[in-house]
mmCIF file of all heavy atoms in Angstrom:
data_model
loop_
_atom_site.group_PDB
_atom_site.id
_atom_site.type_symbol
_atom_site.label_atom_id
_atom_site.label_comp_id
_atom_site.label_asym_id
_atom_site.label_seq_id
_atom_site.Cartn_x
_atom_site.Cartn_y
_atom_site.Cartn_z
ATOM 1 N N ARG R 230 186.595 85.264 -325.788
ATOM 2 C CA ARG R 230 187.960 84.943 -325.357
ATOM 3 C C ARG R 230 188.756 86.194 -325.167
ATOM 4 O O ARG R 230 188.474 87.235 -325.778
ATOM 5 C CB ARG R 230 188.664 84.001 -326.361
ATOM 6 C CG ARG R 230 189.043 84.608 -327.671
ATOM 7 C CD ARG R 230 189.536 83.536 -328.618
ATOM 8 N NE ARG R 230 190.712 82.854 -328.117
ATOM 9 C CZ ARG R 230 191.090 81.611 -328.440
ATOM 10 N NH1 ARG R 230 190.326 80.912 -329.279
ATOM 11 N NH2 ARG R 230 192.218 81.074 -327.974
ATOM 12 N N ASP R 231 189.745 86.114 -324.291
ATOM 13 C CA ASP R 231 190.691 87.191 -324.034
ATOM 14 C C ASP R 231 192.083 86.558 -324.182
ATOM 15 O O ASP R 231 192.587 85.906 -323.265
ATOM 16 C CB ASP R 231 190.475 87.768 -322.635
ATOM 17 C CG ASP R 231 191.366 88.951 -322.354
ATOM 18 O OD1 ASP R 231 192.382 89.134 -323.045
ATOM 19 O OD2 ASP R 231 191.075 89.719 -321.417
ATOM 20 N N ASN R 232 192.669 86.745 -325.350
ATOM 21 C CA ASN R 232 193.971 86.092 -325.596
ATOM 22 C C ASN R 232 195.080 86.676 -324.714
ATOM 23 O O ASN R 232 196.074 86.008 -324.440
ATOM 24 C CB ASN R 232 194.337 86.217 -327.072
ATOM 25 C CG ASN R 232 193.541 85.218 -327.920
ATOM 26 O OD1 ASN R 232 193.052 84.208 -327.436
ATOM 27 N ND2 ASN R 232 193.410 85.553 -329.218
ATOM 28 N N ALA R 233 194.901 87.906 -324.269
ATOM 29 C CA ALA R 233 195.926 88.485 -323.379
ATOM 30 C C ALA R 233 195.935 87.730 -322.037
ATOM 31 O O ALA R 233 196.971 87.685 -321.367
ATOM 32 C CB ALA R 233 195.645 89.957 -323.151
ATOM 33 N N LYS R 234 194.808 87.165 -321.678
ATOM 34 C CA LYS R 234 194.704 86.409 -320.439
ATOM 35 C C LYS R 234 194.683 84.883 -320.682
ATOM 36 O O LYS R 234 194.511 84.122 -319.738
ATOM 37 C CB LYS R 234 193.416 86.812 -319.677
ATOM 38 C CG LYS R 234 193.447 88.229 -319.218
ATOM 39 C CD LYS R 234 192.167 88.544 -318.459
ATOM 40 C CE LYS R 234 192.183 89.983 -317.925
ATOM 41 N NZ LYS R 234 190.960 90.364 -317.189
ATOM 42 N N ASN R 235 194.843 84.470 -321.918
ATOM 43 C CA ASN R 235 194.777 83.034 -322.264
ATOM 44 C C ASN R 235 193.565 82.364 -321.689
ATOM 45 O O ASN R 235 193.617 81.268 -321.121
ATOM 46 C CB ASN R 235 196.019 82.319 -321.725
ATOM 47 C CG ASN R 235 197.263 82.547 -322.624
ATOM 48 O OD1 ASN R 235 197.142 83.107 -323.693
ATOM 49 N ND2 ASN R 235 198.400 82.116 -322.154
ATOM 50 N N THR R 236 192.411 83.049 -321.865
ATOM 51 C CA THR R 236 191.176 82.546 -321.255
ATOM 52 C C THR R 236 190.026 82.645 -322.253
ATOM 53 O O THR R 236 189.910 83.604 -322.963
ATOM 54 C CB THR R 236 190.855 83.323 -319.973
ATOM 55 O OG1 THR R 236 191.957 83.209 -319.086
ATOM 56 C CG2 THR R 236 189.593 82.782 -319.297
ATOM 57 N N VAL R 237 189.203 81.593 -322.222
ATOM 58 C CA VAL R 237 187.960 81.588 -322.959
ATOM 59 C C VAL R 237 186.813 81.539 -321.941
ATOM 60 O O VAL R 237 186.905 80.824 -320.940
ATOM 61 C CB VAL R 237 187.896 80.402 -323.932
ATOM 62 C CG1 VAL R 237 186.494 80.270 -324.524
ATOM 63 C CG2 VAL R 237 188.927 80.545 -325.023
ATOM 64 N N TYR R 238 185.752 82.267 -322.227
ATOM 65 C CA TYR R 238 184.629 82.348 -321.306
ATOM 66 C C TYR R 238 183.350 81.803 -321.948
ATOM 67 O O TYR R 238 183.195 81.825 -323.161
ATOM 68 C CB TYR R 238 184.365 83.826 -320.942
ATOM 69 C CG TYR R 238 185.558 84.524 -320.344
ATOM 70 C CD1 TYR R 238 186.347 85.343 -321.136
ATOM 71 C CD2 TYR R 238 185.884 84.345 -319.009
ATOM 72 C CE1 TYR R 238 187.440 86.008 -320.573
ATOM 73 C CE2 TYR R 238 186.983 84.996 -318.459
ATOM 74 C CZ TYR R 238 187.767 85.806 -319.262
ATOM 75 O OH TYR R 238 188.852 86.465 -318.711
ATOM 76 N N LEU R 239 182.489 81.336 -321.087
ATOM 77 C CA LEU R 239 181.104 80.966 -321.513
ATOM 78 C C LEU R 239 180.157 81.604 -320.555
ATOM 79 O O LEU R 239 180.127 81.267 -319.376
ATOM 80 C CB LEU R 239 180.917 79.432 -321.537
ATOM 81 C CG LEU R 239 179.542 78.967 -322.031
ATOM 82 C CD1 LEU R 239 179.426 79.269 -323.554
ATOM 83 C CD2 LEU R 239 179.314 77.501 -321.728
ATOM 84 N N ASP R 240 179.403 82.564 -321.041
ATOM 85 C CA ASP R 240 178.377 83.251 -320.238
ATOM 86 C C ASP R 240 177.047 82.578 -320.538
ATOM 87 O O ASP R 240 176.680 82.385 -321.678
ATOM 88 C CB ASP R 240 178.333 84.724 -320.577
ATOM 89 C CG ASP R 240 179.557 85.455 -320.118
ATOM 90 O OD1 ASP R 240 179.821 85.452 -318.917
ATOM 91 O OD2 ASP R 240 180.288 86.021 -320.988
ATOM 92 N N VAL R 241 176.351 82.262 -319.453
ATOM 93 C CA VAL R 241 175.048 81.603 -319.582
ATOM 94 C C VAL R 241 174.032 82.431 -318.831
ATOM 95 O O VAL R 241 174.233 82.758 -317.633
ATOM 96 C CB VAL R 241 175.073 80.184 -319.024
ATOM 97 C CG1 VAL R 241 173.748 79.462 -319.361
ATOM 98 C CG2 VAL R 241 176.261 79.391 -319.549
ATOM 99 N N ASN R 242 172.963 82.840 -319.492
ATOM 100 C CA ASN R 242 171.892 83.608 -318.860
ATOM 101 C C ASN R 242 170.643 82.752 -318.712
ATOM 102 O O ASN R 242 170.451 81.758 -319.412
ATOM 103 C CB ASN R 242 171.604 84.815 -319.772
ATOM 104 C CG ASN R 242 172.775 85.750 -319.892
ATOM 105 O OD1 ASN R 242 173.444 86.024 -318.934
ATOM 106 N ND2 ASN R 242 173.027 86.192 -321.116
ATOM 107 N N SER R 243 169.776 83.187 -317.821
ATOM 108 C CA SER R 243 168.483 82.541 -317.606
ATOM 109 C C SER R 243 168.654 81.040 -317.467
ATOM 110 O O SER R 243 168.026 80.248 -318.215
ATOM 111 C CB SER R 243 167.529 82.904 -318.740
ATOM 112 O OG SER R 243 167.366 84.291 -318.873
ATOM 113 N N LEU R 244 169.489 80.624 -316.554
ATOM 114 C CA LEU R 244 169.772 79.216 -316.385
ATOM 115 C C LEU R 244 168.486 78.409 -316.128
ATOM 116 O O LEU R 244 167.575 78.851 -315.394
ATOM 117 C CB LEU R 244 170.733 79.003 -315.220
ATOM 118 C CG LEU R 244 172.211 79.313 -315.598
ATOM 119 C CD1 LEU R 244 172.995 79.696 -314.354
ATOM 120 C CD2 LEU R 244 172.837 78.118 -316.301
ATOM 121 N N ILE R 245 168.422 77.251 -316.688
ATOM 122 C CA ILE R 245 167.331 76.305 -316.529
ATOM 123 C C ILE R 245 167.885 74.982 -316.027
ATOM 124 O O ILE R 245 169.095 74.719 -316.112
ATOM 125 C CB ILE R 245 166.492 76.083 -317.800
ATOM 126 C CG1 ILE R 245 167.418 75.577 -318.929
ATOM 127 C CG2 ILE R 245 165.844 77.388 -318.249
ATOM 128 C CD1 ILE R 245 166.672 75.287 -320.233
ATOM 129 N N ARG R 246 167.028 74.129 -315.488
ATOM 130 C CA ARG R 246 167.519 72.858 -314.920
ATOM 131 C C ARG R 246 168.233 71.995 -315.934
ATOM 132 O O ARG R 246 169.174 71.274 -315.620
ATOM 133 C CB ARG R 246 166.343 72.078 -314.317
ATOM 134 C CG ARG R 246 165.784 72.737 -313.040
ATOM 135 C CD ARG R 246 164.777 71.841 -312.398
ATOM 136 N NE ARG R 246 165.379 70.614 -311.889
ATOM 137 C CZ ARG R 246 164.732 69.654 -311.287
ATOM 138 N NH1 ARG R 246 163.424 69.728 -311.142
ATOM 139 N NH2 ARG R 246 165.349 68.578 -310.859
ATOM 140 N N GLU R 247 167.815 72.135 -317.204
ATOM 141 C CA GLU R 247 168.452 71.331 -318.256
ATOM 142 C C GLU R 247 169.911 71.748 -318.515
ATOM 143 O O GLU R 247 170.622 71.051 -319.241
ATOM 144 C CB GLU R 247 167.632 71.442 -319.552
ATOM 145 C CG GLU R 247 166.315 70.712 -319.578
ATOM 146 C CD GLU R 247 165.225 71.424 -318.778
ATOM 147 O OE1 GLU R 247 165.475 72.599 -318.366
ATOM 148 O OE2 GLU R 247 164.141 70.820 -318.589
ATOM 149 N N ASP R 248 170.344 72.875 -317.979
ATOM 150 C CA ASP R 248 171.715 73.300 -318.129
ATOM 151 C C ASP R 248 172.628 72.589 -317.143
ATOM 152 O O ASP R 248 173.872 72.718 -317.215
ATOM 153 C CB ASP R 248 171.854 74.800 -317.871
ATOM 154 C CG ASP R 248 171.148 75.618 -318.935
ATOM 155 O OD1 ASP R 248 171.102 75.188 -320.087
ATOM 156 O OD2 ASP R 248 170.608 76.695 -318.609
ATOM 157 N N THR R 249 172.064 71.851 -316.218
ATOM 158 C CA THR R 249 172.875 71.088 -315.241
ATOM 159 C C THR R 249 173.769 70.069 -315.968
ATOM 160 O O THR R 249 173.342 69.357 -316.872
ATOM 161 C CB THR R 249 171.968 70.367 -314.247
ATOM 162 O OG1 THR R 249 171.244 71.338 -313.474
ATOM 163 C CG2 THR R 249 172.767 69.464 -313.323
ATOM 164 N N GLY R 250 174.996 70.040 -315.522
ATOM 165 C CA GLY R 250 175.950 69.096 -316.094
ATOM 166 C C GLY R 250 177.380 69.497 -315.840
ATOM 167 O O GLY R 250 177.613 70.494 -315.139
ATOM 168 N N VAL R 251 178.290 68.718 -316.354
ATOM 169 C CA VAL R 251 179.706 69.080 -316.271
ATOM 170 C C VAL R 251 180.080 69.766 -317.562
ATOM 171 O O VAL R 251 179.828 69.271 -318.654
ATOM 172 C CB VAL R 251 180.583 67.836 -316.033
ATOM 173 C CG1 VAL R 251 182.037 68.234 -315.981
ATOM 174 C CG2 VAL R 251 180.182 67.117 -314.797
ATOM 175 N N TYR R 252 180.661 70.943 -317.427
ATOM 176 C CA TYR R 252 181.051 71.717 -318.583
ATOM 177 C C TYR R 252 182.583 71.606 -318.795
ATOM 178 O O TYR R 252 183.373 71.826 -317.857
ATOM 179 C CB TYR R 252 180.661 73.197 -318.391
ATOM 180 C CG TYR R 252 179.197 73.422 -318.583
ATOM 181 C CD1 TYR R 252 178.289 73.000 -317.634
ATOM 182 C CD2 TYR R 252 178.699 74.042 -319.716
ATOM 183 C CE1 TYR R 252 176.914 73.162 -317.802
ATOM 184 C CE2 TYR R 252 177.338 74.240 -319.911
ATOM 185 C CZ TYR R 252 176.472 73.798 -318.933
ATOM 186 O OH TYR R 252 175.100 73.981 -319.107
ATOM 187 N N TYR R 253 182.932 71.223 -319.998
ATOM 188 C CA TYR R 253 184.319 71.047 -320.385
ATOM 189 C C TYR R 253 184.704 72.043 -321.463
ATOM 190 O O TYR R 253 183.913 72.329 -322.339
ATOM 191 C CB TYR R 253 184.544 69.649 -320.945
ATOM 192 C CG TYR R 253 184.296 68.506 -320.015
ATOM 193 C CD1 TYR R 253 183.028 67.914 -319.930
ATOM 194 C CD2 TYR R 253 185.327 67.986 -319.219
ATOM 195 C CE1 TYR R 253 182.783 66.884 -319.082
ATOM 196 C CE2 TYR R 253 185.061 66.881 -318.367
ATOM 197 C CZ TYR R 253 183.811 66.354 -318.296
ATOM 198 O OH TYR R 253 183.577 65.304 -317.455
ATOM 199 N N CYS R 254 185.921 72.533 -321.411
ATOM 200 C CA CYS R 254 186.451 73.254 -322.542
ATOM 201 C C CYS R 254 187.430 72.332 -323.274
ATOM 202 O O CYS R 254 188.042 71.416 -322.678
ATOM 203 C CB CYS R 254 187.091 74.580 -322.172
ATOM 204 S SG CYS R 254 188.530 74.493 -321.119
ATOM 205 N N ALA R 255 187.578 72.596 -324.557
ATOM 206 C CA ALA R 255 188.400 71.766 -325.410
ATOM 207 C C ALA R 255 189.026 72.635 -326.485
ATOM 208 O O ALA R 255 188.430 73.652 -326.892
ATOM 209 C CB ALA R 255 187.572 70.644 -326.090
ATOM 210 N N SER R 256 190.212 72.290 -326.918
ATOM 211 C CA SER R 256 190.917 73.113 -327.876
ATOM 212 C C SER R 256 191.555 72.254 -328.970
ATOM 213 O O SER R 256 191.885 71.107 -328.787
ATOM 214 C CB SER R 256 192.025 73.954 -327.198
ATOM 215 O OG SER R 256 191.495 75.009 -326.438
ATOM 216 N N VAL R 257 191.733 72.910 -330.107
ATOM 217 C CA VAL R 257 192.451 72.315 -331.207
ATOM 218 C C VAL R 257 193.276 73.455 -331.867
ATOM 219 O O VAL R 257 192.783 74.573 -331.991
ATOM 220 C CB VAL R 257 191.479 71.672 -332.223
ATOM 221 C CG1 VAL R 257 190.495 72.660 -332.804
ATOM 222 C CG2 VAL R 257 192.219 70.960 -333.334
ATOM 223 N N GLU R 258 194.460 73.090 -332.294
ATOM 224 C CA GLU R 258 195.298 74.105 -332.933
ATOM 225 C C GLU R 258 194.731 74.470 -334.292
ATOM 226 O O GLU R 258 194.241 73.604 -335.041
ATOM 227 C CB GLU R 258 196.726 73.574 -333.090
ATOM 228 C CG GLU R 258 197.711 74.667 -333.472
ATOM 229 C CD GLU R 258 199.143 74.265 -333.306
ATOM 230 O OE1 GLU R 258 199.390 73.046 -333.063
ATOM 231 O OE2 GLU R 258 200.006 75.135 -333.382
ATOM 232 N N GLY R 259 194.724 75.736 -334.598
ATOM 233 C CA GLY R 259 194.116 76.193 -335.844
ATOM 234 C C GLY R 259 192.631 76.088 -335.759
ATOM 235 O O GLY R 259 192.004 76.343 -334.769
ATOM 236 N N SER R 260 192.041 75.687 -336.882
ATOM 237 C CA SER R 260 190.586 75.566 -336.958
ATOM 238 C C SER R 260 190.082 74.125 -336.823
ATOM 239 O O SER R 260 188.886 73.866 -336.864
ATOM 240 C CB SER R 260 190.047 76.148 -338.251
ATOM 241 O OG SER R 260 190.659 75.491 -339.339
ATOM 242 N N GLY R 261 191.008 73.188 -336.682
ATOM 243 C CA GLY R 261 190.613 71.805 -336.557
ATOM 244 C C GLY R 261 190.127 71.250 -337.901
ATOM 245 O O GLY R 261 190.110 71.942 -338.913
ATOM 246 N N SER R 262 189.678 70.014 -337.887
ATOM 247 C CA SER R 262 189.178 69.349 -339.097
ATOM 248 C C SER R 262 187.970 68.514 -338.726
ATOM 249 O O SER R 262 188.078 67.597 -337.928
ATOM 250 C CB SER R 262 190.290 68.488 -339.705
ATOM 251 O OG SER R 262 189.831 67.825 -340.851
ATOM 252 N N GLY R 263 186.846 68.834 -339.369
ATOM 253 C CA GLY R 263 185.647 68.081 -339.072
ATOM 254 C C GLY R 263 184.621 68.932 -338.371
ATOM 255 O O GLY R 263 184.792 70.134 -338.205
ATOM 256 N N SER R 264 183.548 68.265 -337.948
ATOM 257 C CA SER R 264 182.477 68.967 -337.272
ATOM 258 C C SER R 264 182.827 69.314 -335.863
ATOM 259 O O SER R 264 183.279 68.478 -335.089
ATOM 260 C CB SER R 264 181.225 68.118 -337.284
ATOM 261 O OG SER R 264 180.227 68.664 -336.446
ATOM 262 N N TYR R 265 182.567 70.554 -335.487
ATOM 263 C CA TYR R 265 182.867 70.989 -334.069
ATOM 264 C C TYR R 265 181.973 70.254 -333.119
ATOM 265 O O TYR R 265 182.268 70.217 -331.910
ATOM 266 C CB TYR R 265 182.639 72.476 -333.972
ATOM 267 C CG TYR R 265 183.759 73.329 -334.564
ATOM 268 C CD1 TYR R 265 183.644 74.721 -334.689
ATOM 269 C CD2 TYR R 265 184.942 72.747 -335.028
ATOM 270 C CE1 TYR R 265 184.630 75.474 -335.192
ATOM 271 C CE2 TYR R 265 185.961 73.511 -335.551
ATOM 272 C CZ TYR R 265 185.784 74.884 -335.661
ATOM 273 O OH TYR R 265 186.791 75.645 -336.204
ATOM 274 N N TYR R 266 180.877 69.677 -333.604
ATOM 275 C CA TYR R 266 179.977 68.927 -332.707
ATOM 276 C C TYR R 266 180.605 67.648 -332.163
ATOM 277 O O TYR R 266 180.199 67.123 -331.133
ATOM 278 C CB TYR R 266 178.668 68.546 -333.443
ATOM 279 C CG TYR R 266 177.660 69.653 -333.556
ATOM 280 C CD1 TYR R 266 177.862 70.725 -334.452
ATOM 281 C CD2 TYR R 266 176.517 69.660 -332.767
ATOM 282 C CE1 TYR R 266 176.896 71.741 -334.541
ATOM 283 C CE2 TYR R 266 175.552 70.636 -332.874
ATOM 284 C CZ TYR R 266 175.765 71.684 -333.759
ATOM 285 O OH TYR R 266 174.835 72.663 -333.831
ATOM 286 N N SER R 267 181.614 67.162 -332.897
ATOM 287 C CA SER R 267 182.224 65.899 -332.511
ATOM 288 C C SER R 267 183.326 66.064 -331.502
ATOM 289 O O SER R 267 184.298 66.794 -331.770
ATOM 290 C CB SER R 267 182.787 65.192 -333.756
ATOM 291 O OG SER R 267 183.518 64.047 -333.340
ATOM 292 N N PRO R 268 183.244 65.402 -330.345
ATOM 293 C CA PRO R 268 184.367 65.500 -329.362
ATOM 294 C C PRO R 268 185.658 64.962 -329.931
ATOM 295 O O PRO R 268 186.731 65.318 -329.441
ATOM 296 C CB PRO R 268 183.863 64.627 -328.207
ATOM 297 C CG PRO R 268 182.376 64.619 -328.327
ATOM 298 C CD PRO R 268 182.112 64.661 -329.791
ATOM 299 N N LEU R 269 185.583 64.146 -330.974
ATOM 300 C CA LEU R 269 186.779 63.487 -331.477
ATOM 301 C C LEU R 269 187.769 64.437 -332.146
ATOM 302 O O LEU R 269 188.972 64.108 -332.236
ATOM 303 C CB LEU R 269 186.372 62.411 -332.508
ATOM 304 C CG LEU R 269 185.500 61.273 -331.934
ATOM 305 C CD1 LEU R 269 185.144 60.283 -333.056
ATOM 306 C CD2 LEU R 269 186.222 60.552 -330.808
ATOM 307 N N ILE R 270 187.324 65.607 -332.565
ATOM 308 C CA ILE R 270 188.246 66.513 -333.296
ATOM 309 C C ILE R 270 189.016 67.376 -332.314
ATOM 310 O O ILE R 270 189.925 68.108 -332.717
ATOM 311 C CB ILE R 270 187.545 67.378 -334.340
ATOM 312 C CG1 ILE R 270 186.809 68.501 -333.648
ATOM 313 C CG2 ILE R 270 186.616 66.566 -335.201
ATOM 314 C CD1 ILE R 270 186.542 69.692 -334.591
ATOM 315 N N TRP R 271 188.690 67.302 -331.031
ATOM 316 C CA TRP R 271 189.334 68.178 -330.034
ATOM 317 C C TRP R 271 190.346 67.391 -329.240
ATOM 318 O O TRP R 271 189.982 66.543 -328.406
ATOM 319 C CB TRP R 271 188.270 68.782 -329.120
ATOM 320 C CG TRP R 271 187.169 69.502 -329.851
ATOM 321 C CD1 TRP R 271 185.998 68.962 -330.271
ATOM 322 C CD2 TRP R 271 187.178 70.872 -330.253
ATOM 323 N NE1 TRP R 271 185.263 69.928 -330.939
ATOM 324 C CE2 TRP R 271 185.974 71.116 -330.926
ATOM 325 C CE3 TRP R 271 188.090 71.926 -330.128
ATOM 326 C CZ2 TRP R 271 185.630 72.361 -331.469
ATOM 327 C CZ3 TRP R 271 187.748 73.149 -330.646
ATOM 328 C CH2 TRP R 271 186.536 73.368 -331.299
ATOM 329 N N PRO R 272 191.633 67.584 -329.412
ATOM 330 C CA PRO R 272 192.637 66.792 -328.736
ATOM 331 C C PRO R 272 192.920 67.192 -327.303
ATOM 332 O O PRO R 272 193.437 66.361 -326.527
ATOM 333 C CB PRO R 272 193.888 66.977 -329.583
ATOM 334 C CG PRO R 272 193.680 68.295 -330.248
ATOM 335 C CD PRO R 272 192.219 68.436 -330.462
ATOM 336 N N TYR R 273 192.606 68.428 -326.940
ATOM 337 C CA TYR R 273 192.960 68.935 -325.593
ATOM 338 C C TYR R 273 191.696 69.224 -324.806
ATOM 339 O O TYR R 273 190.799 69.958 -325.322
ATOM 340 C CB TYR R 273 193.856 70.170 -325.681
ATOM 341 C CG TYR R 273 195.069 69.932 -326.553
ATOM 342 C CD1 TYR R 273 195.195 70.529 -327.792
ATOM 343 C CD2 TYR R 273 196.074 69.104 -326.109
ATOM 344 C CE1 TYR R 273 196.313 70.317 -328.542
ATOM 345 C CE2 TYR R 273 197.189 68.875 -326.872
ATOM 346 C CZ TYR R 273 197.310 69.477 -328.100
ATOM 347 O OH TYR R 273 198.413 69.248 -328.883
#
């Protein structure tokens, strides 16, 4: 992330077909509560 630019990046190397999909970013204020694996903890 670059907080000066208010931007988070995801770099992906050696792409494979299984990487195909829609990529979403999500945010929570602070550190959130619960497992990061769960979409439910991310409000934005």
Side-chain angles (χ1 to χ4, degrees):
R230 70 188 299 154
D231 185 341
N232 284 337
K234 296 182 178 179
N235 281 352
T236 302
V237 171
Y238 304 100
L239 184 69
D240 292 299
V241 190
N242 298 316
S243 302
L244 282 155
I245 58 177
R246 290 188 66 181
E247 288 77 8
D248 294 326
T249 294
V251 180
Y252 284 73
Y253 297 90
C254 65
S256 286
V257 61
E258 192 166 11
S260 58
S262 178
S264 170
Y265 285 172
Y266 280 75
S267 172
L269 298 177
I270 76 158
W271 306 91
Y273 306 109

